[in-house]
Amino acid sequence: MAAPSALPTTYSTLSHLECSRDGSRHDADVVQGTSPAGAPLLARYDLERAAATVSPADIATRAPDLWRYHELLPVRDPAHVVTLGEGMTPLLDLPRAGARLGVPGLRMKDEGLVPTGAFKARGAAVGISRAAELGVRAVAMPTNGNAGAAWASYAARAGMGSLIAMPVDAPEITRRECVVAGAELYLVDGLIGDAGKLVADAVRRRTGYQDTSTLREPYRIEGKKTMGYEIVEQLGWRAPDVILYPTGGGVGIIAIHKALQEMRELGWLTGPMPRLVAVQADGCAPIVDAFDAGLSESTAPADAHTIAFGITVPKALGDFLVLDAVRDTGGTAIAVSDDELLAAQHTLARDEGTWICPEGGACVAAVGQLRESGWLDGSEDVVVLNTGTGLIYPDTVAVDVPTLPVDGRIPGGDDA
Ligand SMILES: *Cc1c(COP(=O)(O)O)cnc(C)c1O
């Protein structure tokens, strides 16, 4: 190994792309989709060089956004970074919720505070930056709403075009986010897979568009993996015992697993891996079904439906990677009902003052179930991911309050 001083400083240590199925090596410096085997491509870095170039102490001095990990991100030239200030979201203690659930060491990584209101901004920031660096002029993708809103916004920031297709049932605010950012938007009377077919067909006919569907381009996962780096950095370069993640396409949980593996190789993290838990909703739980059946791939459920719209993904391209992340870490997969996840969302807002998205509510509900079943014994450090703000889903809260006339009176007080 060369002495560290002999190495030139480098913004990114990206070396190549690797097929997640057969390990074959592919060029990272041209626009890529999936591997020839049809599987997601994973970005690989020269981690030896990264470890010699940067340390956790160096990172501590950098700006509080996800680009603080730039050696482990794919953008080679800082001039190509497209940012709206994403990353370094709070890792909140949840003392009242933790006491209620019997897990005093409960924390929440709150992704409601990123641009566009959902953690999709991380994948979009890195994906769009790298696309811009490789000369892409427009991106096209199907979405359950939040990813489209994020990619449309970052595309606008990059001066790039965007073509987005989403189910008519996707959260309405995300349509408006796409429109205001100038996206070419289509609503589809179906599920995300139906939107994906329409987009794939359009990309075939149009020139200059990159298909940036979930796991069909390699860099969204790189943006999302920074959640894993941040959790570990925020705990003082220590991993929690358990991380729960609301799993749709699975990018986030695959990405957190990848981050943990990288940090171990870098020597920044020692000890056992946190157990990763894939949380889904009863109405769409293909990963949970496959996990319970001991299978390495999932089967799409009939009639997928849940109010946690971001996790309505009947068949994920990376399902085998999600199952691998869960099994490799000694984790589990669990589904909760819509009633349970909404109740958890409401209770958390009253306990802790934070209005989380229904997907985040699913994770909080899952903590309760895993504690009841004994899978959690209550002594663990547990981190739940809240993947977006409740503000995106205003209809999850009913408001039934009196309207007063201007000469009316608010009840209470002594002089009744
Ligand atoms: C997309 C989304 C998810 C699921 O994310 P994956 O990483 O694709 O599994 C969860 N929650 C919200 C709010 C989302 O928008």
Side-chain angles (χ1 to χ4, degrees):
M1 200 180 104
S5 58
L7 295 168
T9 55
T10 179
Y11 193 72
S12 169
T13 62
L14 178 68
S15 58
H16 64 279
L17 297 172
E18 185 182 286
C19 171
S20 56
R21 226 179 246 291
D22 60 24
S24 57
R25 211 181 152 98
H26 302 274
D27 186 357
D29 287 301
V30 294
V31 176
Q32 298 273 18
T34 50
S35 73
L41 287 169
L42 300 176
R44 294 300 180 205
Y45 299 83
D46 182 346
L47 294 179
E48 219 169 275
R49 184 167 169 189
T53 307
V54 63
S55 69
D58 299 327
I59 289 172
T61 66
R62 294 179 177 173
D65 62 40
L66 63 76
W67 300 100
R68 67 203 273 112
Y69 309 108
H70 61 75
E71 285 88 353
L72 294 318
L73 292 172
V75 179
R76 294 204 189 276
D77 179 349
H80 291 128
V81 167
V82 179
T83 181
L84 292 167
E86 56 289 330
M88 264 299 156
T89 53
L91 184 63
L92 300 172
D93 294 341
L94 301 178
R96 285 194 202 87
R100 183 190 296 278
L101 295 166
V103 183
L106 183 64
R107 291 185 175 87
M108 178 172 78
K109 179 75 170 156
D110 191 4
E111 295 289 303
L113 278 81
V114 292
T116 73
F119 80 113
K120 294 293 195 305
R122 293 180 187 264
V126 174
I128 288 281
S129 297
R130 184 65 177 147
E133 185 161 72
L134 295 176
V136 171
R137 303 252 301 280
V139 293
M141 65 196 296
T143 173
N144 272 337
N146 290 329
W151 284 72
S153 303
Y154 283 86
R157 180 77 164 158
M160 214 183 264
S162 62
L163 165 63
I164 312 283
M166 68 171 72
V168 284
D169 291 335
E172 215 193 292
I173 188 73
T174 62
R175 294 179 194 177
R176 299 180 198 277
E177 291 181 272
C178 291
V179 168
V180 79
E184 181 184 349
L185 175 68
Y186 297 93
L187 302 178
V188 182
D189 194 5
L191 294 179
I192 187 169
D194 304 303
K197 282 178 200 138
L198 294 170
V199 167
D201 172 63
V203 169
R204 256 192 307 279
R205 283 180 286 110
R206 294 185 180 190
T207 47
Y209 281 77
Q210 184 187 7
D211 184 342
T212 56
S213 305
T214 306
L215 294 172
R216 288 189 192 280
E217 68 76 51
Y219 300 116
R220 188 197 291 214
I221 195 169
E222 295 306 293
K224 290 191 177 182
K225 86 179 176 189
T226 57
M227 292 187 291
Y229 278 89
E230 287 179 19
I231 290 169
V232 169
E233 182 177 359
Q234 288 171 317
L235 291 174
W237 297 98
R238 185 178 64 78
D241 298 309
V242 177
I243 299 176
L244 291 95
Y245 184 83
T247 304
V251 185
I253 192 167
I254 297 166
I256 290 171
H257 186 222
K258 183 173 188 284
L260 293 164
Q261 289 172 324
E262 287 175 359
M263 282 185 278
R264 288 179 116 193
E265 265 194 67
L266 287 160
W268 296 356
L269 181 64
T270 52
M273 280 279 198
R275 288 180 278 161
L276 298 181
V277 180
V279 179
Q280 299 199 299
D282 282 346
C284 184
I287 298 290
V288 178
D289 293 344
F291 180 80
D292 288 345
L295 301 172
S296 58
E297 284 187 25
S298 65
T299 308
D303 209 17
H305 188 81
T306 163
I307 191 156
F309 209 75
I311 55 176
T312 315
V313 181
K315 175 65 183 170
L317 185 67
D319 55 358
F320 64 105
L321 297 170
V322 176
L323 288 157
D324 179 56
V326 168
R327 292 195 176 111
D328 177 52
T329 59
T332 190
I334 181 170
V336 301
S337 71
D338 279 11
D339 285 349
E340 288 163 335
L341 65 88
L342 286 173
Q345 179 201 35
H346 284 64
T347 306
L348 190 77
R350 290 182 181 209
D351 277 347
E352 306 286 359
T354 172
W355 185 9
I356 63 175
C357 64
E359 295 83 353
C363 287
V364 177
V367 169
Q369 289 197 7
L370 292 172
R371 181 71 187 92
E372 267 166 41
S373 75
W375 194 86
L376 291 172
D377 68 20
S379 70
E380 301 91 346
D381 276 332
V382 175
V383 172
V384 293
L385 261 298
N386 173 44
T387 40
T389 169
L391 297 174
I392 299 171
Y393 305 78
D395 297 342
T396 54
V397 177
V399 177
D400 181 18
V401 300
T403 303
L404 301 176
V406 290
D407 59 352
R409 197 158 193 241
I410 293 173
D414 292 333
D415 62 338

